[in-house]
Structures are given as structure tokens and as C-alpha cells.
Amino acid sequence: MAATMRVGSMDSLDLDSSMETIPEIVGDTDKGRRAKKKKRGYALLSKIHHNVRDALTETNITLAVSILTLLSTVVLQTWYTVVTQNMHYVSTFDSIYNEYSVPEMLNAFDTVEDFIANHGRERFADEFMEHKKARNRDKISHVDHARRRVVHWYAKVCLFWKKGLIPLHFLKSFPGKGRAAYFLRNFEPLEESNRMIYGGTPNEAFSCIRRMFDIPEDMPGKCSYNFGGAGKCPI
């Protein structure tokens, strides 16, 4: 009987001990779960961080490549535009240079120079006007045609310059200031004589040439001629 009670007491003691350890086991299990959850959370955050970093890195690389591509495109396009524009400049310059060098153009200069030499620099404009008024075409038609050809060429040069088809530094090398002054000195008096007969506004080619090459208004001085005894500078 006593033995039975002792056994029962021991069983009760073991049961109590087991009951006491159950909360500890449960607590440890909860802690483990929380630790695992926390660990999984850290792992997830770490994975997100790495993914974001990789994405940003890829984005930066893509952005850098796009910027470099854009810059290279701009540089190449600018270079192509400059080269193409210079080719147009050279083509235009070559055109006016070749036109200046044709025999007809050179003969026009010679014709006017001969006319000036025959009548004198102080009289050639008056002589041209007198024959023009008298319609003595056989005496001045060759001079008139020469005037028209040369003035037309310089008017074309001015037009190309105004429209931006050829830069000024090209024209300063050819025809240059010396040829421009020669043109004004020999052809402007003839042009003014013709205008005084038929009327009209002054030919803009002469004022354009003066602006282009920075030639003063009194060089060579269109008022130094008599213009048929008018006694004043043509308007």
C-alpha cells in the first residue's frame, strides 16, 4: 500500500515536472519561430536591397550609354553639318572664281580699261553718257556690255554673301579689297552715268561691296566726275 502510494507520488511528481517544462518548450519554440521570421525578414530585405542596387546600377549604365550615344550623335551631326556647309561654300566659291576667269569677263575689264585710257579718267564717264544719250551704240555698246557683265558678277557675289551662301573670309581672299576698289573706281562712274539717263535707284551692288570690304564712301569717290556737266554728285 505504501509502495503503491510512493509510486503514485512519483508519477505525480513526474507529471508535474513535465507540465512545468511544457511552457519552456513552447517558449523556446516561439522564440525560434520569431528568430526564423526575423531572419527571413532580414534575408528578404537584403535581397530587395541587392535587387534595387543591381537595378540602379543597370539603370545608371543604361543612362550613361544613352547620354554617350546622344553626345556622339550630336558631335557627328555637327561635324557633318560643318563639313557639308564648307563643301557648299567651296562649291560656290569655285563657281564665282571660274566665272570671273572666263575670257568674256577678262575682255570686259580690258574693254573698260581701254575706254578709260582713250578718254582719260576725268572724262570717260562724261564721254560714256554723251554717246549713250546720242544713241551712238556703235561707239559704246561694247563698253556698255562690259559694264553690265562685271556689275552683274559683283551683284551676284553680294547676293551670295547676303544669303549666307559664302562667308566673308572667302571673299576677302577673292575677289579681295583690291579688286573691289578697282571695280568701284572703273565701273561705278559708268553705272551712275547710265542711271542719270534712264533714272532709277542706285545699284545696291556698289554699296554692298563697300560694306563687305569696309571701303569708305569717298573711295574712289564717285563725285569726282563731272557727269555731263551736272556739277553735283548724283543722288
Side-chain angles (χ1 to χ4, degrees):
M1 182 79 177
T4 302
M5 290 179 65
R6 191 181 299 115
V7 171
S9 299
M10 291 179 63
D11 291 341
S12 297
L13 181 61
D14 293 338
L15 181 60
D16 292 339
S17 299
S18 298
M19 292 298 292
E20 290 176 358
T21 57
I22 287 175
E24 295 178 0
I25 295 173
V26 173
D28 292 341
T29 303
D30 291 340
K31 289 180 180 179
R33 289 176 179 173
R34 285 196 296 270
K36 288 181 180 180
K37 287 182 179 180
K38 193 173 183 180
K39 187 175 181 180
R40 284 198 298 270
Y42 286 145
L44 181 60
L45 288 174
S46 178
K47 185 176 181 180
I48 292 173
H49 171 73
H50 286 299
N51 290 338
V52 170
R53 185 184 63 186
D54 293 341
L56 289 175
T57 302
E58 292 177 359
T59 302
N60 290 338
I61 293 175
T62 303
L63 181 61
V65 171
S66 300
I67 293 174
L68 289 175
T69 302
L70 178 62
L71 290 176
S72 62
T73 302
V74 171
V75 171
L76 288 175
Q77 185 64 36
T78 303
W79 177 82
Y80 176 78
T81 301
V82 171
V83 170
T84 304
Q85 190 177 49
N86 284 332
M87 289 177 63
H88 286 306
Y89 289 160
V90 171
S91 177
T92 304
F93 181 80
D94 186 62
S95 173
I96 62 175
Y97 182 86
N98 289 335
E99 186 176 347
Y100 188 93
S101 303
V102 297
E104 294 80 3
M105 190 75 168
L106 300 178
N107 290 337
F109 289 121
D110 292 340
T111 298
V112 172
E113 287 178 357
D114 291 342
F115 188 77
I116 294 173
N118 292 334
H119 298 283
R121 181 157 295 278
E122 295 298 326
R123 281 285 307 163
F124 81 97
D126 293 334
E127 195 74 22
F128 178 80
M129 179 184 288
E130 290 171 4
H131 288 299
K132 191 87 169 177
K133 284 182 177 180
R135 296 185 178 276
N136 295 327
R137 293 188 176 90
D138 57 325
K139 293 185 177 180
I140 61 164
S141 60
H142 60 299
V143 179
D144 200 24
H145 294 167
R147 171 189 64 83
R148 293 179 183 180
R149 176 179 290 276
V150 176
V151 171
H152 174 76
W153 185 86
Y154 274 95
K156 181 188 291 187
V157 170
C158 282
L159 179 63
F160 287 169
W161 174 58
K162 288 180 179 179
K163 296 297 183 181
L165 299 177
I166 188 168
L168 184 58
H169 66 271
F170 274 57
L171 298 175
K172 284 187 174 182
S173 63
F174 181 86
K177 189 171 183 177
R179 290 185 180 89
Y182 168 89
F183 165 70
L184 294 173
R185 182 171 61 252
N186 291 342
F187 288 86
E188 189 173 22
L190 298 177
E191 189 72 19
E192 287 295 329
S193 297
N194 188 75
R195 187 178 70 85
M196 291 182 70
I197 297 173
Y198 297 106
T201 59
N203 194 318
E204 294 182 359
F206 297 97
S207 59
C208 174
I209 291 297
R210 282 191 166 90
R211 291 196 309 271
M212 187 185 301
F213 296 101
D214 194 24
I215 298 176
E217 190 68 24
D218 58 349
M219 178 183 176
K222 61 183 180 183
C223 299
S224 61
Y225 302 94
N226 291 325
F227 290 103
K232 61 179 181 179
C233 180
I235 299 174

